[in-house]
Amino acid sequence: MIYKTTGDVMQGFSRDHTVPYLMGNDDLAMGCAMSEATAPLLMSFGRVTSEPDQLAVMLYLSAGGCAEEKAREHELAGLAAMNALNANEAEDAMIRQKRAYALASERYYKAWKHHNTYYGEPGNGECPGFDGDMDEFIYMAGLLSGLQALNAQIQSTSSIGVPANIGSIVARATSCLENDKWWGAPMALRATVWAMVPGAQPQGENAFERLAIADKQGEEAGVRLPHVFHAIAAINKGDHDMVKDVIREHAQSLEENPADEDWRFVDAMATNMIVAISDRLWVENTGHRTPLGQLGSFWDDKQEEVETMNLDALL
């Protein structure tokens, strides 16, 4: 009885206070450490009371992000080694990258399964009844975890068991979310699936036009998550100029629009992913990451001409 009561209190406190507090904080490393450290403790209460499925969505999504961050670091190390013509070091880094992506996919997929257990099978035409904004946000986070699970599985080049049709399911399920309320992210997520899955785009729709509209919504709201989806879709298309434009737009928006105080964590997460994409471009072409304070600029940018004065006439 004591364990059950404790479990119920911990679940309720985490959902109602810990998660909202974390969303208002922009320290991603702290959030990563918290999810990896507390997930076993909080999930163990499922042995003595109801399974904390809703809380598990956030825990495993965040923990998956931790593993994916390590995968990106290994990728950068591999690219830098290739740039330095160090084949053995590059190969080792790529192996570590795939292992980290495999772990990320497993964690994301756990979040997806807990999401489906709590909210029901998504994308079947029926929407759950949401109990407040945080409930709706966790639903969206669960959809994102499904898409991330599939992407990480592909990056790992191994089979984790993630169904290949998750993208289409997620695209349909985003219709349960209010696009304007959630910074344009539901439409951006849906448009990304259209851009990446052959035949998914409805007739008369243009995925990249939708993504551009979502970008503006995210910028105005101070939660720039749509930029990430836009960049991912552009990478999949192989349009490097578009990727650069999205990064420039994100960097400019950071200077012009402050992050929403209630969702600083999500905005910081978006910036972190944009920086990661920028770093990959820089390392591939120069051997080093984006220089500090120069997000939105690139190695091949044309330097502005500076007017000079001829001092010979003054001598």
Side-chain angles (χ1 to χ4, degrees):
M1 179 63 71
I2 293 176
Y3 290 155
K4 182 181 185 304
T5 301
T6 302
D8 291 339
V9 170
M10 289 291 290
Q11 286 188 42
F13 181 83
S14 298
R15 182 185 61 249
D16 298 336
H17 297 286
T18 305
V19 173
Y21 176 82
L22 180 63
M23 291 301 104
N25 192 310
D26 61 2
D27 192 331
L28 298 182
M30 191 76 74
C32 180
M34 186 199 76
S35 64
E36 288 190 313
T38 62
L41 169 65
L42 294 174
M43 293 306 300
S44 69
F45 284 111
R47 294 167 58 93
V48 295
T49 185
S50 59
E51 191 77 14
D53 292 304
Q54 193 182 34
L55 184 59
V57 173
M58 298 304 299
L59 288 172
Y60 284 119
L61 175 61
S62 180
C66 301
E68 186 173 0
E69 179 72 16
K70 292 177 181 177
R72 289 196 293 261
E73 287 296 313
H74 295 321
E75 180 184 25
L76 292 178
L79 291 171
M82 290 176 64
N83 190 279
L85 302 179
N86 190 328
N88 289 335
E89 186 176 337
E91 183 178 3
D92 183 67
M94 290 177 183
I95 292 171
R96 286 181 282 134
Q97 174 194 353
K98 291 177 180 180
R99 288 179 180 177
Y101 268 123
L103 177 59
S105 182
E106 290 174 358
R107 290 176 174 179
Y108 286 139
Y109 194 39
K110 284 183 180 179
W112 171 255
K113 289 189 285 189
H114 281 287
H115 170 273
N116 294 356
T117 300
Y118 187 85
Y119 290 102
E121 196 69 28
N124 61 1
E126 297 183 6
C127 296
F130 297 117
D131 183 22
D133 290 351
M134 187 54 64
D135 192 18
E136 193 171 346
F137 171 74
I138 294 176
Y139 180 82
M140 181 171 66
L143 298 183
L144 178 60
S145 72
L147 205 59
Q148 290 292 82
L150 179 59
N151 180 62
Q153 177 177 260
I154 294 171
Q155 297 291 333
S156 74
T157 66
S158 58
S159 179
I160 312 300
V162 182
N165 66 339
I166 275 188
S168 299
I169 294 172
V170 167
R172 293 194 299 270
T174 55
S175 61
C176 293
L177 299 165
E178 296 181 40
N179 190 58
D180 292 340
K181 179 179 180 179
W182 297 108
W183 335 296
M187 184 68 252
L189 201 161
R190 185 156 61 245
T192 301
V193 174
W194 293 350
M196 297 178 68
V197 178
Q201 181 171 282
Q203 188 175 1
E205 287 285 3
N206 185 307
F208 288 96
E209 287 182 3
R210 289 288 191 176
L211 285 165
I213 294 171
D215 285 348
K216 298 302 180 184
Q217 290 178 294
E219 291 167 18
E220 292 172 3
V223 186
R224 285 157 274 256
L225 191 57
H227 283 157
V228 177
F229 296 126
H230 197 163
I232 291 172
I235 291 170
N236 183 72
K237 185 182 178 182
D239 192 333
H240 296 294
D241 289 336
M242 184 185 294
V243 176
K244 288 182 177 181
D245 287 342
V246 173
I247 295 172
R248 288 190 181 99
E249 188 177 340
H250 187 90
Q252 182 177 349
S253 176
L254 289 174
E255 296 181 359
E256 298 175 350
N257 301 312
D260 185 308
E261 291 187 0
D262 292 332
W263 302 103
R264 292 169 64 194
F265 191 89
V266 181
D267 190 58
M269 180 179 69
T271 297
N272 184 61
M273 296 180 76
I274 289 293
V275 170
I277 294 170
S278 175
D279 283 347
R280 181 179 181 182
L281 293 175
W282 271 91
V283 173
E284 284 180 335
N285 288 275
T286 69
H288 63 77
R289 306 170 191 234
T290 311
L292 192 62
Q294 294 187 40
L295 180 66
S297 65
F298 299 95
W299 60 93
D300 55 353
D301 287 346
K302 292 183 178 179
Q303 299 295 322
E304 295 183 6
E305 293 186 5
V306 179
E307 186 177 350
T308 59
M309 179 183 296
N310 185 355
L311 299 179
D312 291 340
L314 299 179
L315 297 176

